[in-house]
């Protein structure tokens, strides 16, 4: 749902999701000492709804997040 104009985010959501799935495919053959999660969220153009919800839930559950790689807008010129 666009918050303004034709469709904000249409140029980056697919590219960011493609990055997440490509990274998961590449990293699937490796073992890590810590849990690695690959997530894609929506509702960002309307106010970071997806990422805020995930971060709130992670904090509530006591997750110890060590790092974040944000692939938002990698397909934007």
């Amino acid at each position: 749902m666009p918050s303004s104009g034709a469709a904000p985010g249409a140029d980056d959501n697919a590219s960011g999701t493609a990055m997440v799935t490509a990274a998961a495919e590449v990293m699937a053959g490796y073992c890590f000492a810590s849990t690695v999660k690959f997530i894609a969220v929506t509702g960002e153009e309307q106010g970071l709804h997806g990422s805020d919800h995930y971060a709130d839930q992670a904090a509530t559950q006591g997750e110890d997040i060590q790092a974040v790689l944000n692939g938002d807008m990698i397909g934007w010129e």
Side-chain angles (χ1 to χ4, degrees):
M1 293 179 54
S3 60
S4 66
D11 60 349
D12 64 50
N13 284 351
S15 62
T17 302
M19 184 213 70
V20 169
T21 56
E25 183 177 4
V26 169
M27 294 172 67
Y30 296 90
C31 294
F32 298 93
S34 298
T35 300
V36 177
K37 293 184 179 183
F38 299 89
I39 66 169
V41 297
T42 190
E44 302 307 275
E45 279 73 24
Q46 290 76 31
L48 302 179
H49 297 303
S51 54
D52 277 349
H53 175 75
Y54 181 82
D56 288 345
Q57 290 296 313
T60 298
Q61 294 172 7
E63 289 189 30
D64 181 22
I65 298 174
Q66 298 291 314
V68 173
L69 174 61
N70 184 337
D72 190 32
M73 300 182 70
I74 62 172
W76 188 72
E77 59 178 286

